[in-house]
Amino acid sequence: MNIVKLLKYSLYLFIMILVVFFFITIYMYFFSKQPAAEISYSIAVPLCLFIVSLLYAKSVHERGLIRGIEIWIVYFALVLLMKVIFSYPGEISIVRQLLYLPVAILGGILGVNTKLKIPKR
């Protein structure tokens, strides 16, 4: 049951990252010629990890710490898989990837601890 939700939210993470990167790229191509705007790429991934781990933990209703770690593991495996598939010659920053882990954990913890608003009848 949880593996299906994990795969579903992992797909959400992948799609969300692609959409956010697409819009950032379009914005930078047409409207911004400043190199300082490239920092938005560094902010996009942790933000997407936070949101998806929050939603995933909220849907499962238990163990937010573990749910955040699960989302991060799927993200990291996806990054490694993309590196192998596309034969990317650059190195992956392990320190940066490990800095994303607390963000995903925080999203999972907050997701479990948020109350569901049930309308009263």
Side-chain angles (χ1 to χ4, degrees):
M1 175 78 172
N2 284 339
I3 192 75
V4 174
K5 284 189 178 183
L6 177 62
L7 292 175
K8 176 179 149 184
Y9 282 96
S10 299
L11 181 64
Y12 289 165
L13 175 66
F14 181 68
I15 291 170
M16 185 184 292
I17 288 173
L18 287 177
V19 168
V20 169
F21 277 6
F22 175 75
F23 284 121
I24 291 172
T25 303
I26 295 296
Y27 174 76
M28 288 181 58
Y29 183 78
F30 288 112
F31 302 111
S32 177
K33 302 297 183 206
Q34 300 173 358
E38 292 180 10
I39 197 165
S40 58
Y41 285 108
S42 301
I43 295 170
V45 171
L47 184 64
C48 291
L49 273 171
F50 177 80
I51 291 170
V52 169
S53 62
L54 184 127
L55 294 173
Y56 174 53
K58 193 171 185 174
S59 73
V60 175
H61 305 295
E62 62 182 16
R63 299 183 187 144
L65 180 83
I66 303 299
R67 302 305 169 217
I69 292 172
E70 286 176 348
I71 290 292
W72 179 81
I73 288 172
V74 169
Y75 163 74
F76 188 65
L78 183 68
V79 168
L80 292 177
L81 182 67
M82 296 296 244
K83 179 178 172 30
V84 170
I85 288 175
F86 295 121
S87 302
Y88 182 69
E91 295 297 320
I92 296 173
S93 173
I94 299 297
V95 174
R96 178 181 288 171
Q97 301 304 321
L98 287 175
L99 288 175
Y100 294 162
L101 180 60
V103 173
I105 290 173
L106 181 66
I109 291 171
L110 291 177
V112 166
N113 292 323
T114 55
K115 301 265 187 203
L116 290 175
K117 294 186 179 183
I118 300 171
K120 294 181 182 178
R121 295 181 187 205

